[in-house]
Amino acid sequence: HEPEGFRALLNSFLPRKRAIGQFLIRDPEDRVLLCQLTYKTDWDLPGGVVEVGESPAVGVSREVEEELALDLTAGPLLLTDWLPAWSGWDDAVCLVFDGGVHDPSLVDAIVRETREIRSVAFCTLDEVRERCADFTARRVEAALASARGGSLTYTESGRPVG
């Protein structure tokens, strides 16, 4: 009969959604830092799954520290992208934070977590389209537009809604 008990009951059976935090890290030429992952063929933005009880901003910084040995603080949220269920994964919400503009030599400071990251590179938008899955390329384009002052801040599988 107490509010805490009712909330605990609801929390036990209401749906939960996976959250993914990613960084849009750019160089002065507006190229985007991408990671070639060991566990899939396409490239992706740096980041990863947010832990239970962890804020997405803290989670993306933790993931990038663990996987690339970069100490970056999450900047403004650029994009929220809903991802439908895909290839055995449940749906998820991907939050893309501004990782800032850095000198291309940032790549030289990266220490890859080799179990997950095969390589990293700053890539042009054409290279993003070549290396990434289509929905990831659309997400990168939307996040770039947002970083440049665009108003699009929510997509579904990288596509504008409405």
Side-chain angles (χ1 to χ4, degrees):
H1 298 294
E2 296 297 317
E4 293 81 16
F6 181 66
R7 286 191 296 268
L9 177 65
L10 285 175
N11 191 55
S12 72
F13 66 83
L14 285 175
R16 295 176 185 244
K17 190 162 303 290
R18 180 176 298 112
I20 300 165
Q22 293 185 319
F23 269 140
L24 181 72
I25 300 170
R26 294 163 287 144
D27 72 5
E29 295 178 25
D30 225 18
R31 296 181 304 167
V32 175
L33 187 70
L34 291 180
C35 299
Q36 182 183 27
L37 306 172
T38 60
Y39 51 88
K40 61 182 183 178
T41 57
D42 49 306
W43 293 51
D44 211 339
L45 292 170
V49 175
V50 178
E51 300 291 336
V52 173
E54 179 179 54
S55 88
V58 169
V60 69
S61 294
R62 175 191 51 76
E63 283 284 336
V64 168
E65 170 66 33
E66 290 173 1
E67 295 177 359
L68 303 177
L70 294 176
D71 183 16
L72 299 175
T73 301
L77 179 65
L78 297 174
L79 183 71
T80 301
D81 186 32
W82 176 74
L83 305 170
W86 176 79
S87 190
W89 287 97
D90 290 339
D91 70 323
V93 173
C94 182
L95 303 166
V96 182
F97 292 90
D98 193 341
V101 177
H102 300 269
D103 189 270
S105 64
L106 179 75
V107 171
D108 300 330
I110 290 173
V111 179
R112 293 177 295 107
E113 201 308 305
T114 56
R115 285 176 289 165
E116 292 191 52
I117 309 297
R118 184 170 288 123
S119 64
V120 294
F122 277 106
C123 299
T124 65
L125 203 45
D126 284 339
E127 291 169 326
V128 168
R129 292 181 191 116
E130 290 170 10
R131 297 177 184 197
C132 296
D134 59 348
F135 59 90
T136 302
R138 290 191 299 267
R139 181 182 320 123
V140 170
E141 289 185 64
L144 271 172
S146 179
R148 293 173 181 149
S151 61
L152 179 66
T153 57
Y154 176 77
T155 56
E156 295 185 353
S157 197
R159 292 184 178 98
V161 176

